[in-house]
Amino acid sequence: YTHRECMSSIDDIKEICAKTLGVSVAEIESRKRTQDVSLARQCAIYYSRKQGYKVEELGKVFDRNHSHISHTCSKIEDLLECDRVMAEKINLVGKNIDAN
């Protein structure tokens, strides 16, 4: 297996983030900025990055520039460290992706 074949697809990750956090994939792909949608989108970006997708790739898929992608990953890491409630949601998404 190449590493690529073991990676969850970005679409799968979006799907799991959407389902876990109660939003739609369409919302994740939209420009909507409500807190629930933003969190789902940020989780999708963060976990895609952790799977090994490149910042440039994610920028194209999520229609954001590479600095936005990097910033999002830092933001999720901060939430994991500093916000227990958010960390629980983010970690739940991670568990669901791992179980996929």
Side-chain angles (χ1 to χ4, degrees):
Y1 286 114
T2 62
H3 177 63
R4 269 266 178 231
E5 287 161 2
C6 302
M7 289 161 69
S8 296
S9 78
I10 294 174
D11 286 339
D12 287 347
I13 291 171
K14 283 183 193 171
E15 189 84 32
I16 294 165
C17 291
K19 211 183 315 180
T20 307
L21 298 171
V23 301
S24 69
V25 171
E27 285 177 307
I28 287 178
E29 292 170 344
S30 75
R31 285 278 177 198
K32 205 168 160 191
R33 292 177 57 178
T34 56
Q35 194 183 8
D36 54 345
V37 173
S38 290
L39 180 65
R41 184 182 305 117
Q42 290 165 345
C43 283
I45 291 171
Y46 174 74
Y47 284 111
S48 299
R49 186 80 183 95
K50 277 189 73 166
Q51 290 276 327
Y53 289 98
K54 294 188 174 71
V55 171
E56 294 75 25
E57 267 179 290
L58 295 175
K60 284 193 190 94
V61 173
F62 288 95
D63 190 26
R64 301 290 193 278
N65 62 32
H66 72 277
S67 65
H68 178 95
I69 301 293
S70 302
H71 172 74
T72 295
C73 294
S74 309
K75 188 173 174 174
I76 291 289
E77 282 163 9
D78 289 347
L79 287 172
L80 285 168
E81 254 171 63
C82 309
D83 185 329
R84 219 181 61 235
V85 177
M86 289 300 234
E88 278 175 21
K89 290 182 184 179
I90 296 163
N91 286 324
L92 181 62
V93 172
K95 281 192 194 101
N96 292 344
I97 290 169
D98 292 343
N100 189 27

